[in-house]
């Protein structure tokens, strides 16, 4: 493992390893050995990268994706910022626009943990915790030229979205993500809810939503109204006057 010479506004090291089983698992090891709040571990390739939903692992091509985990050590559970995963998604979306300005207005945040470009997934977030410690795993499709057939209608890379233009070094994007997340979590950015709702995927549209676990069978159809104060998804179901708040579930859009 080496330490990269990157700017991290959290004042912590950014480590890198070519191949790891999982940056999430290594981040937990780093936290246990006393690494500071804001420490990053990135990898060229994860052998066992995982996603939010079991059975949907994060797939990446070696050397062209950006994959890392960021570790936060808060003083206690109550110090953890509300809607942390969504606010991380907001920071990533802003960083992608900084990294590739021509994508401005094409990047959106899909509740609860995906970033989209033109209705295709360009990045994903996995947040895990153990009390006051939070581990945020982030994967961004940066330089992939193509995806397996099963993913071509669902996934996109920044390279593809730019129309096969040359793109900057992917670790430049990592620096921009860290910068925007630092600003977001230190109240140096505009109010997160209004910023997020301005780029919320499918806001103001009729959607189909799976409430709770993917196999729950609880389907809600209605108007996606916005985001609640704690990051819950607000949907006004068909035939109802007021929005309802949902804290777990998934937009059924594929």
């Amino acid at each position: 493992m080496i330490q990269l010479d990157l700017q991290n506004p959290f004042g912590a090291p950014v480590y890198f390893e070519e191949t790891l089983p999982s940056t999430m698992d290594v981040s937990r090891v780093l936290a246990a050995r006393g690494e500071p709040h804001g420490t990053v571990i990135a990898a060229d390739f994860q052998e066992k990268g995982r996603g939010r939903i079991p059975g949907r692992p994060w797939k990446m091509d070696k050397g062209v994706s950006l994959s890392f985990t960021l570790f936060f050590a808060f003083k206690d559970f109550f110090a953890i910022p509300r809607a942390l995963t969504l606010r991380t998604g907001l920071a990533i979306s802003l960083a992608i626009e900084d990294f590739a300005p021509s994508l401005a207005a094409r990047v959106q945040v899909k509740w609860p943990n995906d970033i989209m470009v033109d209705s295709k997934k360009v990045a994903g977030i996995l947040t895990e915790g153990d009390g006051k410690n939070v581990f945020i795993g982030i994967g961004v499709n940066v330089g992939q030229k193509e995806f397996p057939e099963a993913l071509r209608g669902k996934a996109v890379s920044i390279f593809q979205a730019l129309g096969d233009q040359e793109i900057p070094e992917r670790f430049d994007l990592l620096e921009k993500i860290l910068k925007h997340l630092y600003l977001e979590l230190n109240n140096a950015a505009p109010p997160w809810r209004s910023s997020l709702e301005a780029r919320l995927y499918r806001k103001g549209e009729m959607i189909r939503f799976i409430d709770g676990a993917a196999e729950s069978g609880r389907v809600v159809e209605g108007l996606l109204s916005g985001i609640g104060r704690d990051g819950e998804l607000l949907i006004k179901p068909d035939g109802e006057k007021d929005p309802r708040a949902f804290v777990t579930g998934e937009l059924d859009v594929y």
Side-chain angles (χ1 to χ4, degrees):
M1 191 181 329
I2 63 171
Q3 184 171 340
L4 299 177
D5 184 21
L6 297 179
Q7 293 184 2
N8 182 352
F10 293 99
V14 178
Y15 294 113
F16 172 79
E17 186 74 52
E18 286 191 0
T19 300
L20 289 173
S22 164
T23 61
M24 186 70 77
D25 293 342
V26 174
S27 184
R28 290 178 178 273
V29 173
L30 294 175
R33 80 179 192 190
E35 293 287 348
H37 178 93
T39 295
V40 175
I41 173 64
D44 257 348
F45 184 74
Q46 294 187 95
E47 298 169 322
K48 297 180 181 179
R50 56 186 183 269
R52 182 178 66 91
I53 297 176
R56 295 188 195 172
W58 178 262
K59 297 182 181 297
M60 60 187 294
D61 293 337
K62 190 171 185 177
V64 296
S65 301
L66 181 60
S67 182
F68 65 98
T69 294
L70 176 65
F71 158 64
F72 287 140
F74 297 103
K75 63 180 181 179
D76 54 43
F77 174 81
F78 300 101
I80 299 174
R82 67 179 60 176
L84 180 56
T85 298
L86 277 175
R87 294 167 74 179
T88 300
L90 173 60
I92 295 170
S93 69
L94 293 169
I96 289 174
E97 291 186 357
D98 273 0
F99 182 71
S102 64
L103 296 183
R106 295 170 59 189
V107 185
Q108 295 182 296
V109 179
K110 176 175 174 271
W111 190 95
N113 67 324
D114 290 336
I115 296 85
M116 316 292 282
V117 172
D118 298 336
S119 299
K120 292 185 179 181
K121 181 175 177 177
V122 72
I125 304 164
L126 174 64
T127 304
E128 297 181 352
D130 57 5
K132 65 181 182 179
N133 296 328
V134 178
F135 304 87
I136 304 177
I138 297 170
V140 186
N141 300 325
V142 180
Q144 292 95 322
K145 295 183 178 180
E146 61 180 24
F147 289 91
E149 185 174 354
L151 296 177
R152 286 174 191 166
K154 303 177 182 180
V156 69
S157 69
I158 295 175
F159 178 82
Q160 290 175 323
L162 289 173
D164 296 345
Q165 300 174 29
E166 289 296 322
I167 59 174
E169 161 61 43
R170 61 200 161 115
F171 290 121
D172 291 348
L173 176 58
L174 174 53
E175 285 189 322
K176 292 181 186 301
I177 292 173
L178 294 174
K179 179 192 77 172
H180 279 283
L181 187 54
Y182 180 84
L183 293 174
E184 175 59 48
L185 298 185
N186 285 276
N187 299 314
W192 68 268
R193 281 180 65 194
S194 57
S195 296
L196 183 63
E197 287 193 335
R199 58 185 63 230
L200 182 61
Y201 182 65
R202 302 291 296 272
K203 183 178 184 291
E205 299 181 24
M206 299 299 294
I207 55 95
R208 187 174 184 269
F209 181 76
I210 309 299
D211 179 24
E215 66 276 7
S216 71
R218 297 192 299 271
V219 177
V220 178
E221 295 184 343
L223 182 74
L224 200 162
S225 302
I227 297 292
R229 66 184 300 273
D230 292 317
E232 61 271 32
L233 190 67
L234 303 179
I235 301 173
K236 185 167 73 173
D238 284 347
E240 298 186 19
K241 293 182 179 180
D242 299 314
R244 279 198 265 154
F246 296 87
V247 295
T248 60
E250 184 176 19
L251 293 179
D252 183 23
V253 296
Y254 298 135

